Amino acid sequence: MRQLIRVLIALLGAVGISIIVKSKEAGNVPLQSGGWRDLETD
Amino acid sequence: MIGILGLGAVGSQLLQRLNTSLPQIPLFVSGPDRKKVSHLMTRKNSIIFCDSNEKLEDQNIQILVLSCSSGHHLQTAQRAIKNGISVISTSNKLSDVVGLLKLEDEAKENGAVIVAGAAFSPGLTCALVDFASKELDSVDEIHVAKDGTGGPACAKQHHRAMKRPSIEWCDGQWVRRPGGSGRELVWFPEPIAGADCYRAALPDPILLKQLFPLASRITARVSASRQDRFTSWLPMLTPPHRDGGVGAVRVEIRGRLENHSVTKVIGAVSSPSTATAIVTEVLCEMFVKKELTSQTGGVASVCDSTDFLQKIKKKGIRVVEFDGIPEEKS
């Protein structure tokens, strides 16, 4: 029983960490770059 | 005759493109999945299909495009070159590119051309660097970055490259550094914008060193998510996507112009698989018109980069330059 609880806690922890990592990734590029224009090759 | 080996995301697009752009040239196609060939193909009579590459030598092929998975290019290229067949390799695997460059003498003996790393990066990036360098007196540093992957084989190669050491040219010597290290926020053209890029086993510095032997630093990085980095030492946990969608490349060249330090930043936006198909299509067209100059090397070593970029732009790849002035919103 104790082993089962440990496994469940470990699984919950892994899910929690991946949610935190994903949410940080989703919000790490809030800026717009700009400053690019078509290259003249003629 | 033009041969295409591999009908993945790149090979199938290339076949469709050559079908319309070079209608007078017969095509020899080898790949396991013939279903990928469109039913709308207009000239099926001049397309010869083969399930394996056993019949390669028996065909009257002048140029062979290797669009199969990375890692299988070198042996096939050796066989082709022995028979005087020129080779365009789309592989971005380090060992493939190094091996192909070592076949230079054999290619010269047999009168064949070898284009190594003819893809989005390397390939288009080499042409961008060469084009930008024409405006400078000398080139000191070259930094290449890439975002996005093409088909499943490209995604697998990206995964493998992340766990292997990178090779960089640094102050007159080759330096190996761990893959996944050296995080750098790279600003790509829209819609990609900012992405964290890392060192990986990428062949761009090897090809660019040929062109710019006096440069003091040549590096290449690839964008990756945290998940990519954490799982790079494991086998791929989920099957790769069919096509990775829109990607971008960015090259930064630092050099000197009239005794002043100058930095030039150029990029391109496209789906990596489509860009690779366009790069190989343009090279095939140039080969047919006898416009490929040198014998062995990267894209910029075998053709004029200005001419190449003009053709690439006409086929739909957006090539842009960074001037640092944001567009005013009206």
Side-chain angles (χ1 to χ4, degrees), chain B residues 99-120:
Chain B
L100 284 167
L101 293 179
K102 283 180 182 168
L103 295 177
E104 187 174 6
D105 293 337
E106 213 171 318
K108 268 184 190 168
E109 276 175 28
N110 293 291
V113 177
I114 301 176
V115 191
F120 195 32

Short mmCIF file of all heavy atoms in Angstrom, two decimals, chain B residues 99-120:
data_model
loop_
_atom_site.label_atom_id
_atom_site.label_comp_id
_atom_site.label_asym_id
_atom_site.label_seq_id
_atom_site.Cartn_x
_atom_site.Cartn_y
_atom_site.Cartn_z
N GLY B 99 32.14 12.64 -45.54
CA GLY B 99 32.44 11.53 -46.47
C GLY B 99 32.31 11.96 -47.92
O GLY B 99 33.16 11.63 -48.76
N LEU B 100 31.26 12.71 -48.23
CA LEU B 100 31.06 13.17 -49.61
C LEU B 100 32.16 14.12 -50.07
O LEU B 100 32.62 14.05 -51.21
CB LEU B 100 29.69 13.86 -49.74
CG LEU B 100 28.47 12.93 -49.76
CD1 LEU B 100 27.19 13.72 -49.57
CD2 LEU B 100 28.41 12.16 -51.06
N LEU B 101 32.60 14.98 -49.16
CA LEU B 101 33.68 15.93 -49.53
C LEU B 101 34.99 15.18 -49.80
O LEU B 101 35.80 15.61 -50.61
CB LEU B 101 33.88 16.96 -48.42
CG LEU B 101 32.71 17.95 -48.20
CD1 LEU B 101 33.03 18.90 -47.06
CD2 LEU B 101 32.39 18.73 -49.46
N LYS B 102 35.16 14.02 -49.12
CA LYS B 102 36.38 13.24 -49.34
C LYS B 102 36.38 12.52 -50.70
O LYS B 102 37.41 11.99 -51.11
CB LYS B 102 36.53 12.20 -48.22
CG LYS B 102 37.03 12.80 -46.92
CD LYS B 102 37.17 11.75 -45.85
CE LYS B 102 37.63 12.38 -44.54
NZ LYS B 102 37.51 11.44 -43.42
N LEU B 103 35.22 12.49 -51.36
CA LEU B 103 35.15 11.83 -52.67
C LEU B 103 35.55 12.76 -53.82
O LEU B 103 35.34 12.43 -54.98
CB LEU B 103 33.71 11.33 -52.91
CG LEU B 103 33.18 10.24 -51.99
CD1 LEU B 103 31.73 9.91 -52.31
CD2 LEU B 103 34.01 8.97 -52.11
N GLU B 104 36.12 13.91 -53.49
CA GLU B 104 36.44 14.92 -54.50
C GLU B 104 37.33 14.37 -55.62
O GLU B 104 37.04 14.55 -56.80
CB GLU B 104 37.13 16.12 -53.83
CG GLU B 104 37.33 17.27 -54.78
CD GLU B 104 37.87 18.51 -54.10
OE1 GLU B 104 38.21 18.44 -52.90
OE2 GLU B 104 37.97 19.54 -54.78
N ASP B 105 38.41 13.67 -55.23
CA ASP B 105 39.34 13.16 -56.26
C ASP B 105 38.66 12.16 -57.18
O ASP B 105 38.85 12.17 -58.40
CB ASP B 105 40.57 12.51 -55.59
CG ASP B 105 41.40 13.55 -54.86
OD1 ASP B 105 41.30 14.73 -55.23
OD2 ASP B 105 42.14 13.18 -53.92
N GLU B 106 37.87 11.27 -56.56
CA GLU B 106 37.15 10.25 -57.34
C GLU B 106 36.17 10.92 -58.32
O GLU B 106 36.01 10.48 -59.45
CB GLU B 106 36.38 9.34 -56.37
CG GLU B 106 36.28 7.91 -56.87
CD GLU B 106 35.71 7.00 -55.81
OE1 GLU B 106 36.10 7.15 -54.62
OE2 GLU B 106 34.88 6.17 -56.16
N ALA B 107 35.51 11.99 -57.82
CA ALA B 107 34.55 12.70 -58.68
C ALA B 107 35.26 13.36 -59.85
O ALA B 107 34.76 13.33 -60.99
CB ALA B 107 33.81 13.74 -57.85
N LYS B 108 36.44 13.93 -59.59
CA LYS B 108 37.21 14.58 -60.67
C LYS B 108 37.62 13.57 -61.73
O LYS B 108 37.51 13.83 -62.92
CB LYS B 108 38.47 15.24 -60.07
CG LYS B 108 38.24 16.69 -59.67
CD LYS B 108 39.53 17.31 -59.18
CE LYS B 108 39.23 18.67 -58.55
NZ LYS B 108 40.36 19.18 -57.81
N GLU B 109 38.07 12.39 -61.26
CA GLU B 109 38.48 11.33 -62.20
C GLU B 109 37.34 10.92 -63.12
O GLU B 109 37.54 10.65 -64.29
CB GLU B 109 38.93 10.09 -61.41
CG GLU B 109 40.37 10.15 -60.95
CD GLU B 109 40.71 8.96 -60.07
OE1 GLU B 109 40.07 7.89 -60.24
OE2 GLU B 109 41.58 9.11 -59.20
N ASN B 110 36.13 10.87 -62.53
CA ASN B 110 34.98 10.38 -63.30
C ASN B 110 34.15 11.51 -63.91
O ASN B 110 33.08 11.25 -64.47
CB ASN B 110 34.08 9.52 -62.40
CG ASN B 110 34.77 8.24 -61.99
OD1 ASN B 110 35.00 7.35 -62.80
ND2 ASN B 110 35.15 8.15 -60.72
N GLY B 111 34.60 12.75 -63.75
CA GLY B 111 33.89 13.89 -64.34
C GLY B 111 32.53 14.14 -63.72
O GLY B 111 31.60 14.59 -64.40
N ALA B 112 32.39 13.84 -62.44
CA ALA B 112 31.09 14.02 -61.77
C ALA B 112 31.12 15.22 -60.81
O ALA B 112 32.18 15.62 -60.34
CB ALA B 112 30.75 12.76 -60.99
N VAL B 113 29.95 15.77 -60.57
CA VAL B 113 29.80 16.89 -59.62
C VAL B 113 29.19 16.33 -58.34
O VAL B 113 28.29 15.49 -58.40
CB VAL B 113 28.87 17.98 -60.22
CG1 VAL B 113 28.64 19.10 -59.22
CG2 VAL B 113 29.42 18.52 -61.51
N ILE B 114 29.70 16.76 -57.19
CA ILE B 114 29.08 16.36 -55.91
C ILE B 114 28.63 17.63 -55.19
O ILE B 114 29.45 18.52 -54.92
CB ILE B 114 30.07 15.60 -55.00
CG1 ILE B 114 30.59 14.34 -55.69
CG2 ILE B 114 29.39 15.23 -53.68
CD1 ILE B 114 31.65 13.59 -54.87
N VAL B 115 27.34 17.70 -54.89
CA VAL B 115 26.83 18.81 -54.07
C VAL B 115 26.43 18.20 -52.73
O VAL B 115 25.47 17.44 -52.64
CB VAL B 115 25.63 19.53 -54.72
CG1 VAL B 115 25.32 20.80 -53.97
CG2 VAL B 115 25.89 19.82 -56.18
N ALA B 116 27.19 18.52 -51.69
CA ALA B 116 26.92 17.96 -50.36
C ALA B 116 26.08 18.96 -49.56
O ALA B 116 26.25 20.17 -49.69
CB ALA B 116 28.24 17.70 -49.64
N GLY B 117 25.18 18.43 -48.74
CA GLY B 117 24.35 19.28 -47.88
C GLY B 117 23.50 20.26 -48.65
O GLY B 117 23.49 21.45 -48.36
N ALA B 118 22.77 19.74 -49.65
CA ALA B 118 21.90 20.62 -50.46
C ALA B 118 20.49 20.59 -49.86
O ALA B 118 19.62 19.86 -50.31
CB ALA B 118 21.88 20.15 -51.91
N ALA B 119 20.30 21.39 -48.81
CA ALA B 119 19.00 21.39 -48.12
C ALA B 119 18.69 22.82 -47.66
O ALA B 119 19.20 23.78 -48.22
CB ALA B 119 19.06 20.42 -46.95
N PHE B 120 17.85 22.92 -46.64
CA PHE B 120 17.51 24.23 -46.08
C PHE B 120 18.72 24.75 -45.30
O PHE B 120 19.19 25.85 -45.51
CB PHE B 120 16.28 24.04 -45.18
CG PHE B 120 15.56 25.28 -44.79
CD1 PHE B 120 15.50 26.38 -45.63
CD2 PHE B 120 14.87 25.35 -43.59
CE1 PHE B 120 14.81 27.52 -45.28
CE2 PHE B 120 14.17 26.48 -43.22
CZ PHE B 120 14.14 27.57 -44.07
#
